[in-house]
Protein backbone atom coordinates (compact mmCIF):
# COMPACT_ATOMS: atom_id res chain seq x y z
CA UNK A 1 0.00 0.00 0.00
CA UNK A 2 1.30 3.45 -0.92
CA UNK A 3 2.25 5.90 1.81
CA UNK A 4 -0.04 8.85 2.40
CA UNK A 5 1.25 12.09 0.82
CA UNK A 6 -0.30 15.25 2.31
CA UNK A 7 -0.74 18.16 -0.05
CA UNK A 8 -0.46 20.66 2.79
CA UNK A 9 3.15 21.56 3.58
CA UNK A 10 2.59 21.97 7.33
CA UNK A 11 0.69 18.70 7.66
CA UNK A 12 3.42 16.94 5.69
CA UNK A 13 6.13 18.23 8.01
CA UNK A 14 4.16 17.29 11.14
CA UNK A 15 3.64 13.74 9.86
CA UNK A 16 7.29 13.38 8.87
CA UNK A 17 8.37 14.53 12.33
CA UNK A 18 6.01 12.01 13.91
CA UNK A 19 7.51 9.27 11.74
CA UNK A 20 10.99 10.34 12.86
CA UNK A 21 9.92 10.15 16.52
CA UNK A 22 8.54 6.64 15.94
CA UNK A 23 11.79 5.55 14.31
CA UNK A 24 10.30 5.12 10.83
CA UNK A 25 12.11 8.00 9.13
CA UNK A 26 15.55 9.61 9.35
CA UNK A 27 15.03 13.19 8.12
CA UNK A 28 12.57 15.73 6.75
CA UNK A 29 12.03 15.75 3.00
CA UNK A 30 12.80 19.50 2.99
CA UNK A 31 13.63 22.12 5.67
CA UNK A 32 11.02 24.55 7.04
CA UNK A 33 11.05 28.33 7.18
CA UNK A 34 10.70 30.08 10.53
CA UNK A 35 7.05 30.88 9.75
CA UNK A 36 6.34 27.26 8.85
CA UNK A 37 7.86 26.08 12.11
CA UNK A 38 5.36 28.26 13.99
CA UNK A 39 2.53 26.50 12.15
CA UNK A 40 4.03 23.06 12.81
CA UNK A 41 4.22 23.90 16.51
CA UNK A 42 0.55 24.88 16.40
CA UNK A 43 -0.41 21.55 14.81
CA UNK A 44 1.63 19.68 17.44
CA UNK A 45 -0.26 21.52 20.19
CA UNK A 46 -3.62 20.80 18.59
CA UNK A 47 -2.78 17.10 18.41
CA UNK A 48 -1.38 17.05 21.98
CA UNK A 49 1.91 15.79 20.54
CA UNK A 50 4.25 18.63 21.56
CA UNK A 51 6.69 16.50 23.52
CA UNK A 52 6.86 13.63 21.03
CA UNK A 53 7.43 16.02 18.12
CA UNK A 54 10.13 17.87 20.05
CA UNK A 55 12.02 14.61 20.42
CA UNK A 56 11.95 14.28 16.61
CA UNK A 57 13.32 17.81 16.29
CA UNK A 58 16.30 16.90 18.46
CA UNK A 59 17.18 14.25 15.86
CA UNK A 60 17.45 16.82 13.04
CA UNK A 61 20.63 18.52 11.84
CA UNK A 62 21.21 21.88 13.58
CA UNK A 63 20.56 23.84 10.38
CA UNK A 64 17.11 22.26 9.99
CA UNK A 65 15.89 22.95 13.51
CA UNK A 66 13.28 25.60 14.43
CA UNK A 67 14.38 29.17 15.26
CA UNK A 68 16.14 29.50 18.61
CA UNK A 69 13.28 31.30 20.38
CA UNK A 70 10.65 28.76 19.33
CA UNK A 71 12.95 25.86 20.13
CA UNK A 72 13.47 27.28 23.61
CA UNK A 73 9.73 27.58 24.21
CA UNK A 74 9.23 24.06 22.84
CA UNK A 75 11.98 22.65 25.09
CA UNK A 76 10.50 24.32 28.17
CA UNK A 77 7.07 22.91 27.37
CA UNK A 78 8.61 19.45 27.00
CA UNK A 79 10.28 19.70 30.41
CA UNK A 80 6.91 20.60 31.90
CA UNK A 81 5.38 17.53 30.25
CA UNK A 82 8.03 15.32 31.83
CA UNK A 83 7.34 16.78 35.28
CA UNK A 84 3.59 16.33 34.80
CA UNK A 85 4.10 12.66 33.95
CA UNK A 86 6.25 12.09 37.02
CA UNK A 87 3.67 13.74 39.26
CA UNK A 88 0.76 11.85 37.72
CA UNK A 89 2.50 8.49 38.07
CA UNK A 90 2.84 9.19 41.80
CA UNK A 91 -0.82 10.22 41.93
CA UNK A 92 -1.88 7.02 40.16
CA UNK A 93 -0.19 5.05 42.93
CA UNK A 94 -1.98 7.12 45.58
CA UNK A 95 -5.35 6.65 43.85
CA UNK A 96 -4.75 2.89 43.66
CA UNK A 97 -4.03 2.75 47.39
CA UNK A 98 -7.10 4.88 48.10
CA UNK A 99 -9.44 2.36 46.48
CA UNK A 100 -7.53 -0.68 47.78
CA UNK A 101 -8.21 0.52 51.33
CA UNK A 102 -11.92 0.52 50.42
CA UNK A 103 -11.68 -3.13 49.33
CA UNK A 104 -11.71 -2.46 45.58
CA UNK A 105 -9.40 -3.63 42.82
CA UNK A 106 -8.41 -0.93 40.38
CA UNK A 107 -6.61 -0.40 37.11
CA UNK A 108 -5.29 2.77 35.48
CA UNK A 109 -6.64 3.23 31.97
CA UNK A 110 -5.28 5.13 28.97
CA UNK A 111 -2.53 7.73 29.58
CA UNK A 112 -0.35 6.65 32.49
CA UNK A 113 -1.10 3.01 31.68
CA UNK A 114 0.08 3.31 28.08
CA UNK A 115 3.39 4.87 29.12
CA UNK A 116 4.69 1.37 29.81
CA UNK A 117 4.46 0.50 26.11
CA UNK A 118 6.47 3.51 24.92
CA UNK A 119 10.23 3.30 24.32
CA UNK A 120 12.34 4.91 27.05
CA UNK A 121 13.18 7.99 24.97
CA UNK A 122 9.50 8.89 24.49
CA UNK A 123 7.90 7.50 27.65
CA UNK A 124 7.75 10.74 29.64
CA UNK A 125 7.12 12.96 26.61
CA UNK A 126 3.53 11.89 26.08
CA UNK A 127 1.22 14.71 27.17
CA UNK A 128 -0.92 13.39 30.03
CA UNK A 129 -4.58 14.20 30.41
CA UNK A 130 -6.50 13.27 33.53
CA UNK A 131 -6.32 10.05 35.53
CA UNK A 132 -8.82 7.38 34.51
CA UNK A 133 -9.09 4.57 37.03
CA UNK A 134 -11.38 1.55 36.66
CA UNK A 135 -12.52 0.16 40.00
CA UNK A 136 -14.36 -3.11 40.54
CA UNK A 137 -15.14 -5.96 42.89
CA UNK A 138 -14.66 -9.53 41.77
CA UNK A 139 -18.41 -10.13 42.13
CA UNK A 140 -19.52 -6.95 40.33
CA UNK A 141 -21.04 -7.63 36.92
CA UNK A 142 -20.63 -5.16 34.05
CA UNK A 143 -20.79 -1.96 36.08
CA UNK A 144 -24.09 -3.01 37.66
CA UNK A 145 -26.33 -0.48 39.43
CA UNK A 146 -25.28 -1.72 42.86
CA UNK A 147 -21.60 -1.46 41.96
CA UNK A 148 -22.09 2.03 40.54
CA UNK A 149 -23.97 3.15 43.66
CA UNK A 150 -21.23 1.81 45.92
CA UNK A 151 -18.55 3.73 44.02
CA UNK A 152 -20.56 6.95 43.95
CA UNK A 153 -21.28 6.82 47.68
CA UNK A 154 -17.63 6.02 48.44
CA UNK A 155 -16.30 8.95 46.39
CA UNK A 156 -18.86 11.36 47.83
CA UNK A 157 -18.10 10.27 51.37
CA UNK A 158 -14.31 10.36 51.04
CA UNK A 159 -14.13 13.69 49.17
CA UNK A 160 -17.00 15.41 50.93
CA UNK A 161 -18.37 16.62 47.61
CA UNK A 162 -21.26 15.48 45.41
CA UNK A 163 -19.27 15.40 42.19
CA UNK A 164 -20.75 14.79 38.73
CA UNK A 165 -21.81 11.26 37.73
CA UNK A 166 -22.00 10.18 34.09
CA UNK A 167 -22.98 6.96 32.32
CA UNK A 168 -19.58 5.37 32.90
CA UNK A 169 -17.65 7.32 35.55
CA UNK A 170 -17.73 9.75 38.46
CA UNK A 171 -15.44 12.72 38.91
CA UNK A 172 -13.26 12.45 42.01
CA UNK A 173 -11.36 15.40 43.48
CA UNK A 174 -8.37 13.60 44.94
CA UNK A 175 -5.64 15.98 43.76
CA UNK A 176 -5.41 19.77 43.37
CA UNK A 177 -3.89 19.77 39.87
CA UNK A 178 -5.14 16.52 38.33
CA UNK A 179 -8.69 15.53 37.45
CA UNK A 180 -9.59 11.94 38.33
CA UNK A 181 -12.38 9.97 36.69
CA UNK A 182 -13.41 6.78 38.48
CA UNK A 183 -14.85 4.34 35.95
CA UNK A 184 -17.67 1.89 36.65
CA UNK A 185 -16.79 0.28 33.30
CA UNK A 186 -13.69 0.96 31.15
CA UNK A 187 -15.70 2.30 28.20
CA UNK A 188 -19.12 2.00 26.57
CA UNK A 189 -20.82 1.69 23.20
CA UNK A 190 -23.37 4.21 21.92
CA UNK A 191 -25.58 1.40 20.69
CA UNK A 192 -27.23 -0.06 23.86
CA UNK A 193 -27.27 -3.61 22.48
CA UNK A 194 -23.58 -3.48 21.68
CA UNK A 195 -22.97 -1.85 25.05
CA UNK A 196 -24.30 -5.01 26.74
CA UNK A 197 -21.76 -7.02 24.74
CA UNK A 198 -19.00 -4.67 25.92
CA UNK A 199 -19.97 -5.20 29.55
CA UNK A 200 -20.05 -8.98 29.18
CA UNK A 201 -16.62 -8.81 27.58
CA UNK A 202 -15.26 -6.77 30.51
CA UNK A 203 -16.67 -9.25 33.01
CA UNK A 204 -15.01 -12.18 31.29
CA UNK A 205 -11.61 -10.44 31.05
CA UNK A 206 -11.36 -8.42 34.28
CA UNK A 207 -8.53 -10.63 35.52
CA UNK A 208 -6.30 -9.41 32.67
CA UNK A 209 -4.75 -6.76 34.89
CA UNK A 210 -1.04 -6.47 35.66
CA UNK A 211 0.79 -4.81 38.55
CA UNK A 212 3.72 -2.46 37.89
CA UNK A 213 6.74 -1.21 39.81
CA UNK A 214 5.13 2.23 39.74
CA UNK A 215 2.59 1.07 42.32
CA UNK A 216 -0.50 0.83 40.17
CA UNK A 217 -2.13 -1.73 37.88
CA UNK A 218 -2.46 -1.57 34.09
CA UNK A 219 -4.36 -3.60 31.51
CA UNK A 220 -2.79 -6.65 29.91
CA UNK A 221 -1.83 -6.14 26.24
CA UNK A 222 -4.80 -8.13 24.93
CA UNK A 223 -7.36 -6.23 27.04
CA UNK A 224 -5.61 -2.94 26.36
CA UNK A 225 -5.79 -3.31 22.58
CA UNK A 226 -9.51 -4.04 22.60
CA UNK A 227 -10.15 -1.25 25.10
CA UNK A 228 -8.14 1.31 23.14
CA UNK A 229 -10.08 0.52 19.98
CA UNK A 230 -13.34 0.94 21.91
CA UNK A 231 -12.09 4.29 23.21
CA UNK A 232 -11.01 5.51 19.77
CA UNK A 233 -14.30 4.41 18.21
CA UNK A 234 -16.47 6.18 20.79
CA UNK A 235 -14.53 9.43 20.70
CA UNK A 236 -14.40 9.50 16.91
CA UNK A 237 -18.21 9.35 16.76
CA UNK A 238 -19.01 11.66 19.67
CA UNK A 239 -16.43 14.43 19.54
CA UNK A 240 -13.24 13.56 17.69
CA UNK A 241 -9.92 11.78 18.16
CA UNK A 242 -6.28 12.75 17.67
CA UNK A 243 -2.82 11.38 17.00
CA UNK A 244 -2.05 10.95 20.70
CA UNK A 245 -4.49 8.03 20.92
CA UNK A 246 -3.21 6.51 17.67
CA UNK A 247 0.36 6.72 18.93
CA UNK A 248 -0.71 4.89 22.09
CA UNK A 249 -2.20 2.15 19.94
CA UNK A 250 0.90 2.09 17.71
CA UNK A 251 3.20 1.15 20.59
CA UNK A 252 0.70 -1.26 22.13
CA UNK A 253 0.51 -3.14 18.83
CA UNK A 254 4.29 -3.44 18.72
CA UNK A 255 4.24 -4.81 22.27
CA UNK A 256 1.58 -7.32 21.15
CA UNK A 257 3.87 -8.57 18.40
CA UNK A 258 6.65 -9.08 20.92
CA UNK A 259 4.28 -10.97 23.23
CA UNK A 260 3.05 -13.17 20.38
CA UNK A 261 6.63 -14.11 19.50
CA UNK A 262 7.57 -15.08 23.06
CA UNK A 263 4.39 -16.86 24.21
CA UNK A 264 1.92 -19.39 22.83
CA UNK A 265 -1.06 -17.56 24.33
CA UNK A 266 -3.68 -17.12 21.58
CA UNK A 267 -4.89 -13.89 23.22
CA UNK A 268 -1.92 -12.18 21.58
CA UNK A 269 -2.59 -13.60 18.12
CA UNK A 270 -3.65 -10.73 15.87
CA UNK A 271 -6.23 -12.87 14.08
CA UNK A 272 -7.86 -13.71 17.43
CA UNK A 273 -7.90 -10.04 18.51
CA UNK A 274 -9.32 -8.89 15.19
CA UNK A 275 -12.12 -11.45 15.42
CA UNK A 276 -12.97 -10.15 18.89
CA UNK A 277 -13.12 -6.60 17.54
CA UNK A 278 -15.40 -7.75 14.72
CA UNK A 279 -17.68 -9.51 17.22
CA UNK A 280 -17.87 -6.24 19.17
CA UNK A 281 -18.90 -4.28 16.07
CA UNK A 282 -15.53 -2.65 15.36
CA UNK A 283 -14.42 -4.22 12.08
CA UNK A 284 -14.69 -1.05 10.02
CA UNK A 285 -13.05 1.26 12.56
CA UNK A 286 -10.19 -1.22 13.01
CA UNK A 287 -9.59 -1.27 9.24
CA UNK A 288 -9.60 2.54 9.23
CA UNK A 289 -7.10 2.79 12.08
CA UNK A 290 -4.80 0.20 10.48
CA UNK A 291 -4.69 2.32 7.31
CA UNK A 292 -3.57 5.39 9.27
CA UNK A 293 -0.97 3.41 11.21
CA UNK A 294 0.52 1.95 8.03
CA UNK A 295 0.11 4.72 5.43
CA UNK A 296 0.55 7.77 7.69
CA UNK A 297 2.73 6.57 10.58
CA UNK A 298 4.65 4.03 8.45
CA UNK A 299 4.02 1.06 10.74
CA UNK A 300 5.43 -2.25 9.53
CA UNK A 301 2.72 -4.47 8.04
CA UNK A 302 3.55 -7.34 10.40
CA UNK A 303 2.12 -5.39 13.34
CA UNK A 304 -1.28 -4.67 11.72
CA UNK A 305 -4.34 -6.55 12.95
CA UNK A 306 -6.04 -6.71 9.56
CA UNK A 307 -6.04 -5.46 5.98
CA UNK A 308 -6.36 -1.66 6.07
CA UNK A 309 -9.22 0.27 4.48
CA UNK A 310 -8.10 3.39 2.63
CA UNK A 311 -11.67 4.68 2.24
CA UNK A 312 -12.50 4.73 5.95
CA UNK A 313 -8.92 5.53 6.93
CA UNK A 314 -8.90 8.73 4.88
CA UNK A 315 -12.25 9.72 6.33
CA UNK A 316 -10.93 9.24 9.85
CA UNK A 317 -7.70 11.09 9.08
CA UNK A 318 -9.72 14.05 7.82
CA UNK A 319 -11.58 14.19 11.14
CA UNK A 320 -8.30 13.96 13.07
CA UNK A 321 -6.69 16.85 11.22
CA UNK A 322 -9.78 19.05 11.37
CA UNK A 323 -10.63 18.54 15.01
CA UNK A 324 -7.30 17.91 16.72
CA UNK A 325 -7.06 16.14 20.06
CA UNK A 326 -10.56 14.99 21.12
CA UNK A 327 -12.10 17.31 18.52
CA UNK A 328 -11.27 20.50 20.43
CA UNK A 329 -10.48 22.53 17.34
CA UNK A 330 -13.37 22.05 14.95
CA UNK A 331 -14.09 25.36 13.28
CA UNK A 332 -17.35 27.28 13.39
CA UNK A 333 -18.14 25.96 9.91
CA UNK A 334 -18.69 22.58 11.57
CA UNK A 335 -20.90 24.05 14.30
CA UNK A 336 -22.43 27.30 12.93
CA UNK A 337 -24.45 28.06 16.07
CA UNK A 338 -21.23 28.58 18.05
CA UNK A 339 -18.94 31.66 18.12
CA UNK A 340 -16.83 32.22 15.02
CA UNK A 341 -13.51 31.41 16.74
CA UNK A 342 -12.21 27.96 17.63
CA UNK A 343 -13.58 26.66 20.89
CA UNK A 344 -13.40 23.32 22.72
CA UNK A 345 -16.23 20.93 21.94
CA UNK A 346 -18.34 19.64 24.82
CA UNK A 347 -18.06 16.02 25.80
CA UNK A 348 -21.14 13.94 25.19
CA UNK A 349 -21.43 12.66 28.72
CA UNK A 350 -19.21 14.92 30.83
CA UNK A 351 -21.92 17.15 32.21
CA UNK A 352 -19.66 20.16 32.87
CA UNK A 353 -21.35 23.44 31.97
CA UNK A 354 -20.36 27.09 31.97
CA UNK A 355 -21.85 28.94 34.91
CA UNK A 356 -23.49 31.63 32.78
CA UNK A 357 -25.46 29.15 30.67
CA UNK A 358 -28.45 27.31 32.06
CA UNK A 359 -28.05 23.55 32.33
CA UNK A 360 -31.02 22.92 30.07
CA UNK A 361 -29.76 25.26 27.33
CA UNK A 362 -26.24 23.85 27.52
CA UNK A 363 -27.56 20.29 27.45
CA UNK A 364 -29.65 20.96 24.36
CA UNK A 365 -26.71 22.66 22.66
CA UNK A 366 -24.50 19.66 23.43
CA UNK A 367 -27.20 17.40 22.01
CA UNK A 368 -27.31 19.36 18.73
CA UNK A 369 -23.54 19.52 18.55
CA UNK A 370 -23.11 15.80 19.13
CA UNK A 371 -25.75 14.86 16.56
CA UNK A 372 -24.22 17.19 13.98
CA UNK A 373 -20.76 15.76 14.55
CA UNK A 374 -21.97 12.17 14.32
CA UNK A 375 -24.03 12.83 11.19
CA UNK A 376 -20.84 13.29 9.15
CA UNK A 377 -19.99 9.66 9.89
CA UNK A 378 -23.51 8.26 9.52
CA UNK A 379 -22.96 6.36 6.28
CA UNK A 380 -19.76 4.75 7.61
CA UNK A 381 -20.93 3.79 11.11
CA UNK A 382 -24.77 3.82 11.07
CA UNK A 383 -25.24 1.20 13.80
CA UNK A 384 -23.65 3.52 16.34
CA UNK A 385 -24.40 7.01 14.99
CA UNK A 386 -28.17 6.43 14.83
CA UNK A 387 -28.14 5.82 18.59
CA UNK A 388 -26.43 9.13 19.49
CA UNK A 389 -29.76 10.86 20.38
CA UNK A 390 -30.57 7.96 22.70
CA UNK A 391 -27.17 8.31 24.40
CA UNK A 392 -27.71 11.99 25.13
CA UNK A 393 -31.13 11.32 26.61
CA UNK A 394 -29.74 8.49 28.74
CA UNK A 395 -26.78 10.63 29.86
CA UNK A 396 -29.14 13.44 30.84
CA UNK A 397 -31.28 11.10 32.95
CA UNK A 398 -28.19 9.68 34.68
CA UNK A 399 -26.77 13.13 35.49
CA UNK A 400 -30.08 14.48 36.76
CA UNK A 401 -30.78 11.39 38.87
CA UNK A 402 -27.50 11.71 40.75
CA UNK A 403 -27.80 15.49 41.06
CA UNK A 404 -30.99 14.90 43.05
CA UNK A 405 -29.41 12.40 45.45
Amino acid sequence: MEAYEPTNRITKTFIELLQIALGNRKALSSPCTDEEWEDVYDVAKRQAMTGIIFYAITQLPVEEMPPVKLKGIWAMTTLQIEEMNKRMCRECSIATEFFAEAGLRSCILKGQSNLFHYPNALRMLRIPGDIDIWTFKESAQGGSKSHRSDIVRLVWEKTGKHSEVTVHHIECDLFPKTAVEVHFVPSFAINPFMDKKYKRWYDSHKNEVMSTKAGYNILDIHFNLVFQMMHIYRHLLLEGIGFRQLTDLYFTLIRRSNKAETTNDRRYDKGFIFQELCDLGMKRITEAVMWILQSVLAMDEKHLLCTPSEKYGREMLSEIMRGGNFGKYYKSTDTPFLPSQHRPKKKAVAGKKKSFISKKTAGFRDFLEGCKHGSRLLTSYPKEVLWIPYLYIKASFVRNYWRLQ
Side-chain angles (χ1 to χ4, degrees):
M1 182 174 292
E2 294 183 2
Y4 169 70
E5 285 292 336
T7 55
N8 180 281
R9 166 74 174 144
I10 304 305
T11 301
K12 182 179 176 66
T13 302
F14 169 78
I15 289 175
E16 288 182 353
L17 286 168
L18 186 48
Q19 290 175 353
I20 291 172
L22 299 178
N24 297 329
R25 190 183 187 93
K26 296 296 184 182
L28 295 175
S29 56
S30 59
C32 293
T33 66
D34 290 357
E35 292 76 14
E36 287 173 337
W37 272 118
E38 294 284 350
D39 292 335
V40 171
Y41 180 65
D42 185 57
V43 173
K45 287 197 298 182
R46 288 169 180 258
Q47 294 292 337
M49 295 294 288
T50 318
I52 302 294
I53 297 300
F54 183 75
Y55 172 79
I57 288 171
T58 64
Q59 309 303 303
L60 299 176
V62 175
E63 62 274 13
E64 293 185 8
M65 289 186 176
V68 174
K69 182 177 179 180
L70 177 60
K71 185 183 176 184
I73 294 172
W74 212 324
M76 186 63 65
T77 301
T78 302
L79 287 174
Q80 292 172 349
I81 293 169
E82 291 183 273
E83 290 305 312
M84 287 171 61
N85 274 306
K86 292 175 183 177
R87 185 191 78 236
M88 288 182 65
C89 285
R90 292 193 297 270
E91 291 171 341
C92 285
S93 178
I94 294 170
T96 298
E97 185 177 351
F98 174 86
F99 289 104
E101 290 175 353
L104 294 169
R105 292 187 66 191
S106 67
C107 178
I108 300 298
L109 305 171
K110 298 183 283 188
Q112 303 312 108
S113 174
N114 287 328
L115 290 185
F116 289 89
H117 306 317
Y118 277 63
N120 290 335
L122 300 178
R123 181 164 296 165
M124 304 306 283
L125 302 184
R126 180 194 185 277
I127 295 180
D130 49 21
I131 292 176
D132 294 86
I133 183 167
W134 175 33
T135 59
F136 56 93
K137 295 180 179 178
E138 293 300 334
S139 58
Q141 296 296 311
S144 63
K145 289 183 179 180
S146 60
H147 170 64
R148 182 167 57 215
S149 296
D150 290 343
I151 299 298
V152 171
R153 302 299 179 187
L154 171 66
V155 170
W156 284 358
E157 178 185 345
K158 295 293 186 181
T159 62
K161 178 182 177 180
H162 279 215
S163 50
E164 194 77 75
V165 181
T166 75
V167 295
H168 71 308
H169 72 249
I170 177 174
E171 297 166 10
C172 182
D173 292 339
L174 283 179
F175 309 110
K177 294 183 179 180
T178 307
V180 178
E181 294 179 352
V182 184
H183 286 241
F184 318 124
V185 290
S187 188
F188 64 92
I190 301 170
N191 182 321
F193 301 103
M194 192 56 67
D195 190 49
K196 290 181 179 180
K197 276 192 171 184
Y198 278 24
K199 289 176 180 177
R200 287 196 296 269
W201 193 89
Y202 297 143
D203 289 338
S204 62
H205 293 83
K206 63 171 56 176
N207 289 325
E208 294 185 29
V209 171
M210 306 182 299
S211 60
T212 68
K213 293 181 179 179
Y216 57 87
N217 301 321
I218 64 174
L219 296 174
D220 176 76
I221 297 295
H222 165 248
F223 195 138
N224 201 357
L225 279 173
V226 177
F227 162 71
Q228 284 190 60
M229 197 62 70
M230 292 171 173
H231 182 248
I232 289 171
Y233 193 22
R234 172 167 60 87
H235 278 287
L236 173 69
L237 300 181
L238 290 179
E239 56 184 342
I241 202 74
F243 272 108
R244 181 173 63 174
Q245 289 69 43
L246 294 183
T247 305
D248 288 346
L249 187 66
Y250 177 96
F251 286 119
T252 309
L253 282 169
I254 292 177
R255 184 61 65 90
R256 181 216 65 82
S257 296
N258 295 337
K259 275 277 192 178
E261 291 175 359
T262 56
T263 68
N264 293 322
D265 194 330
R266 72 166 187 157
R267 292 178 304 153
Y268 306 124
D269 179 75
K270 61 182 179 181
F272 176 76
I273 295 173
F274 180 58
Q275 185 58 55
E276 282 191 302
L277 292 170
C278 292
D279 294 342
L280 292 167
M282 291 185 283
K283 179 178 184 292
R284 189 167 289 179
I285 186 67
T286 303
E287 293 171 342
V289 170
M290 292 305 114
W291 181 84
I292 295 176
L293 294 182
Q294 183 181 43
S295 299
V296 180
L297 301 187
M299 172 173 261
D300 193 306
E301 185 177 6
K302 69 180 182 180
H303 300 303
L304 303 180
L305 295 178
C306 63
T307 303
S309 168
E310 181 174 358
K311 175 184 176 182
Y312 300 112
R314 284 185 178 275
E315 178 185 56
M316 184 177 179
L317 180 62
S318 175
E319 292 293 320
I320 289 172
M321 296 310 300
R322 288 168 64 194
N325 187 52
F326 287 147
K328 293 179 180 178
Y329 298 95
Y330 282 106
K331 293 185 177 180
S332 58
T333 50
D334 298 318
T335 48
F337 46 86
L338 298 178
S340 58
Q341 68 271 23
H342 292 174
R343 64 180 295 277
K345 289 169 67 70
K346 293 288 184 182
K347 290 186 177 181
V349 293
K352 289 185 178 180
K353 313 298 176 191
K354 296 291 184 180
S355 58
F356 57 88
I357 302 176
S358 72
K359 292 178 180 178
K360 289 184 179 179
T361 301
F364 183 66
R365 185 187 64 189
D366 289 353
F367 171 78
L368 291 177
E369 189 175 314
C371 291
K372 183 175 180 65
H373 173 80
S375 66
R376 293 202 299 268
L377 300 166
L378 176 61
T379 57
S380 298
Y381 309 101
K383 292 182 180 179
E384 291 288 313
V385 171
L386 288 172
W387 284 99
I388 288 179
Y390 161 82
L391 174 66
Y392 276 88
I393 294 170
K394 176 184 177 181
S396 178
F397 274 110
V398 170
R399 284 197 303 267
N400 291 330
Y401 170 79
W402 286 107
R403 284 169 179 167
L404 294 173
Q405 299 307 302

